[in-house]
Amino acid sequence: QVQLVESGGALVQAGGSLRLSCAASGRTFSYYTLAWFRQSPGKEREFVASKSWSGASARYATSVKGRFTISRDNAKNTVYLQMNNLKSEDTAVYYCAARPDGRLTYTDWGQGTQVTVSS
């Protein structure tokens, strides 16, 4: 089991930037793919971005490609989401998640952090 705690959510103007952090603890950090998801009221949770433990593989949702960057610092057991050129459509609760090697689904989730983009 991995415990995940998000931070960094805030109210920001459209066009602005924000950096989210997620601290992981409980077991080895290196063998997990880490990802960010988001959910807004009335909508299903959607994938945002993911990063493999080695950093060699990264994926982004089409809606955020070119604006968001996912990174991780294994020494600090932390994954980040740098969000630039924010849009009102980015308003949501953002969750980090972990997927162990050999698993097809994400098994551990944080409690989420609120991001609100004003237009």
Side-chain angles (χ1 to χ4, degrees):
Q1 183 179 1
V2 175
Q3 290 76 49
L4 303 169
V5 181
E6 304 95 334
S7 63
L11 173 64
V12 62
Q13 292 184 343
S17 298
L18 199 61
R19 186 195 191 209
L20 305 182
S21 300
C22 177
S25 62
R27 66 168 66 185
T28 181
F29 182 76
S30 297
Y31 301 111
Y32 286 76
T33 290
L34 298 176
W36 289 94
F37 291 76
R38 66 186 182 186
Q39 186 171 26
S40 57
K43 295 184 178 181
E44 296 182 345
R45 185 172 298 182
E46 65 175 343
F47 170 82
V48 176
S50 67
K51 188 83 167 180
S52 66
W53 71 270
S54 68
S57 178
R59 300 185 65 186
Y60 297 92
T62 301
S63 60
V64 307
K65 187 179 293 292
R67 299 189 298 119
F68 291 10
T69 302
I70 187 171
S71 62
R72 62 190 291 170
D73 185 338
N74 289 348
K76 295 183 177 181
N77 291 334
T78 302
V79 62
Y80 306 93
L81 185 68
Q82 178 66 48
M83 304 183 291
N84 297 325
N85 191 26
L86 284 162
K87 306 176 184 297
S88 60
E89 306 93 273
D90 297 318
T91 295
V93 176
Y94 283 71
Y95 301 88
C96 62
R99 177 173 59 81
D101 286 352
R103 300 292 297 272
L104 275 64
T105 61
Y106 288 87
T107 59
D108 299 287
W109 297 79
Q111 294 300 305
T113 186
Q114 177 71 50
V115 173
T116 303
V117 183
S118 63
S119 59

